[in-house]
Amino acid sequence: MFNLFLAVFPEIFIINATFILLIHGVVFSTSKKYDYPPLVSNVGWLGLLSVLITLLLLAAGAPLLTIAHLFWNNFFRRDNFTYFCQILLLLSTAGTISMCFDFFEQERFDAFEFIVLILLSTCSMLFMISAYDLIAMYLAIELQSLCFYVIAASKRKSEFSTEAGLKYLILGAFSSGILRFGCSMIYGSTGATHFDQLAKILTGYEITGARSSGIFMGILFIAVGFLFKITAVPFHMWAPDIYEGSPTPVTAFLSIAPKISIFANILRLFIYGSYGATLQQIFFFCSIASMILGALAAMAQTKVKRLLAYSSIGHVGYICIGFSCGTIEGIQSLLIGIFIYALMTIDAFAIVLALRQTRVKYIADLGALAKTNPILAITFSITMFSYAGIPPLAGFCSKFYLFFAALGCGAYFLASVGVVTSVIGCFYYIRLVKRMFFDTPRTWILYEPMDRDKSLLLAMTSSFITLFFLYPSPLFSVTHQMALSLYL
């Protein structure tokens, strides 16, 4: 029992820390005695400290996870898969918060609730990753979505941010309704919501008639709800506008964190009990469509954030290759892909935030960046080459293992589409590099020095992206353990 409490302690800690930060912000920001101080940076540093302490608590609980534990009325499950996904999520959250501080100063942004909402959504995603029941999964997804609707519209003086929040709210409500409808259809057809019970029902018995069609439609609706959340084609229509309109740190967070938690849910729910030919075909189609649309639509973009939005859609297509395989190698390659994608995206958005100090919005504004800020231009080039999958960078290793897994399970068409779209993607990534090194801008922009937080973040992520090929074994062994724990 005590071991179980220690296993859940990171979630308990971060929830309590979030509420304490909320009370601290409310009390001091409305205090006449302290002259109504702006607390966003203060709460931001405390929030970052809370995330790092939660990481340490997770690491301390690692020896307790030699076998899987079910807890809280069997609603949640602790195993190696949960543990490593939660660590990746917390690292992504820490990276996002650490790139925010200069943004707060530049934009005169003083809403401390922004950090509180990021921490609340992180709490909900921690529960999502360990959810082992349809009810627990849905409640965690809803809490995460509610936080995202607010932080997307958190820049109250910008009509673009308000529009992004409103679009996300309306379209997100539809996807939540579809997801809930799928859960209710599965419960109505089987009488079970627990993943273990569903696996036994769906794999142990031959279900025919109305119950069979109810289960099929339920799984289909849940898959559609998940595909909307990860911005897979054809449910991607909200992503470019919301990525462009939201504040840049929010766009970075939306690009990474929900994908980690939703992919964890997809693997938990579908691989364990209800993975079949129909589901494989759905993800097969969405993977191909996302790769093609992401590659072709990004070629026409003139704004940096919209380009990164379509790039994100394309990368979701690559990551879905791993799920379409349905093998342990496929799941392992999917987890490697998510890890490397998260690092590349943190790197890219930290650079975009550094450039937006001088209001760089369009790709054309990057002209001659190599002459005015060569280190930033080289770092951005490394990130773009890694996105494109050029060896020996980490992005190449990620795509290589995904395509190798597809070839290993006989999905030759999927692998060939991936290779072709990667080659097309090279065009718009290398176009950015060409713009930075060889074009002359119409107006010269002097770039301000980057703050220390983003410099350290970029140093760590760029070093990993560049040097990953020298020693990839730890990540491969960790992801292999995670993939195996899904089946044990």
Side-chain angles (χ1 to χ4, degrees):
M1 187 67 190
F2 182 66
N3 280 0
L4 276 182
F5 174 75
L6 287 179
V8 192
F9 190 62
E11 283 96 333
I12 295 171
F13 172 79
I14 197 167
I15 288 171
N16 286 313
T18 304
F19 287 131
I20 289 167
L21 283 178
L22 179 60
I23 294 165
H24 164 76
V26 169
V27 169
F28 283 95
S29 65
T30 56
S31 169
K32 188 176 180 181
K33 179 182 175 183
Y34 294 102
D35 198 23
Y36 311 107
L39 286 175
V40 64
S41 289
N42 186 348
V43 172
W45 282 112
L46 291 171
L48 181 59
L49 183 64
S50 304
V51 171
L52 295 175
I53 292 172
T54 310
L55 258 174
L56 290 175
L57 291 172
L58 262 178
L64 306 172
L65 302 178
T66 49
I67 58 169
H69 294 293
L70 291 172
F71 56 94
W72 285 354
N73 201 24
N74 295 341
F75 266 32
F76 299 98
R77 178 183 165 105
R78 270 282 177 203
D79 54 15
N80 282 328
F81 179 78
T82 308
Y83 166 69
F84 290 118
C85 281
Q86 287 183 338
I87 281 189
L88 178 55
L89 173 67
L90 288 169
L91 286 172
S92 305
T93 306
T96 307
I97 293 174
S98 64
M99 68 171 82
C100 287
F101 298 110
D102 192 51
F103 169 81
F104 295 149
E105 289 180 22
Q106 294 288 330
E107 301 287 338
R108 301 188 184 281
F109 189 88
D110 60 353
F112 71 89
E113 300 89 348
F114 178 83
I115 298 294
V116 172
L117 286 166
I118 282 185
L119 290 178
L120 261 182
S121 61
T122 304
C123 296
S124 65
M125 285 184 276
L126 290 175
F127 282 118
M128 255 169 84
I129 289 168
S130 54
Y132 210 59
D133 189 281
L134 289 176
I135 297 169
M137 177 194 79
Y138 180 74
L139 289 174
I141 288 173
E142 277 307 285
L143 176 57
Q144 169 216 299
S145 301
L146 286 170
C147 296
F148 286 163
Y149 301 151
V150 180
I151 60 173
S154 57
K155 201 172 172 187
R156 283 168 287 192
K157 295 176 184 175
S158 164
E159 64 271 23
F160 296 111
S161 180
T162 310
E163 181 193 352
L166 193 58
K167 278 182 180 174
Y168 197 13
L169 172 63
I170 294 167
L171 294 169
F174 277 116
S175 78
S176 295
I178 290 168
L179 188 65
R180 184 167 57 222
F181 188 53
C183 294
S184 63
M185 288 190 80
I186 285 183
Y187 177 69
S189 301
T190 62
T193 57
H194 194 264
F195 290 179
D196 261 342
Q197 295 169 350
L198 288 173
K200 287 170 188 171
I201 291 167
L202 296 173
T203 57
Y205 300 97
E206 186 67 37
I207 299 170
T208 55
R211 288 183 69 199
S212 172
S213 57
I215 291 170
F216 171 75
M217 292 303 293
I219 290 172
L220 182 65
F221 278 123
I222 289 176
V224 168
F226 282 153
L227 288 166
F228 178 92
K229 299 286 186 190
I230 60 172
T231 68
V233 175
F235 311 104
H236 68 288
M237 73 298 288
W238 59 276
D241 289 341
I242 287 160
Y243 280 28
E244 185 191 0
S246 302
T248 307
V250 176
T251 308
F253 194 56
L254 288 176
S255 302
I256 307 163
K259 292 182 175 60
I260 297 167
S261 53
I262 293 287
F263 270 114
N265 269 147
I266 288 173
L267 292 172
R268 273 251 191 265
L269 178 59
F270 291 147
I271 287 289
Y272 186 55
S274 54
Y275 191 82
T278 308
L279 201 61
Q280 188 174 18
Q281 287 162 11
I282 291 168
F283 276 86
F284 191 91
F285 165 75
C286 289
S287 176
I288 290 172
S290 299
M291 288 188 288
I292 292 172
L293 186 128
L296 296 179
M299 292 171 72
Q301 301 309 313
T302 56
K303 295 180 179 177
V304 177
K305 279 170 78 174
R306 283 187 83 86
L307 173 71
L308 290 175
Y310 281 107
S311 168
S312 171
I313 292 168
H315 274 83
V316 165
Y318 296 123
I319 292 168
C320 282
I321 290 175
F323 185 80
S324 305
C325 297
T327 58
I328 286 184
E329 290 78 16
I331 295 167
Q332 184 182 357
S333 64
L334 182 152
L335 295 167
I336 291 169
I338 289 178
F339 186 83
I340 292 173
Y341 165 77
L343 284 170
M344 292 191 300
T345 307
I346 287 172
D347 205 339
F349 277 101
I351 294 167
V352 170
L353 264 173
L355 293 173
R356 282 178 75 85
Q357 292 177 9
T358 42
R359 293 290 180 267
V360 170
K361 186 176 180 182
Y362 293 90
I363 294 170
D365 296 335
L366 294 170
L369 177 63
K371 293 184 177 66
T372 53
N373 196 332
I375 294 175
L376 197 59
I378 291 167
T379 311
F380 204 10
S381 303
I382 289 169
T383 311
M384 291 299 107
F385 284 141
S386 184
Y387 264 137
I390 291 173
L393 301 172
F396 167 76
C397 300
S398 149
K399 288 184 179 178
F400 175 80
Y401 279 96
L402 285 162
F403 298 157
F404 201 80
L407 292 172
C409 74
Y412 301 114
F413 181 67
L414 196 59
S416 59
V417 170
V419 171
V420 170
T421 50
S422 290
V423 172
I424 294 170
C426 286
F427 164 75
Y428 52 85
Y429 292 127
I430 293 173
R431 184 182 63 171
L432 277 176
V433 177
K434 176 247 182 191
R435 183 80 65 183
M436 289 187 287
F437 281 87
F438 302 111
D439 283 10
T440 304
R442 283 170 293 187
T443 55
W444 287 81
I445 299 173
L446 290 175
Y447 296 94
E448 299 172 21
M450 200 189 304
D451 61 297
R452 188 181 300 171
D453 313 319
K454 283 204 284 288
S455 302
L456 286 171
L457 186 66
L458 279 174
M460 288 188 286
T461 52
S462 301
S463 301
F464 182 90
I465 289 167
T466 312
L467 304 174
F468 173 75
F469 75 99
L470 294 175
Y471 191 49
S473 306
L475 183 60
F476 292 156
S477 61
V478 163
T479 49
H480 189 65
Q481 284 179 35
M482 291 169 73
L484 284 176
S485 69
L486 280 172
Y487 289 92
L488 298 176

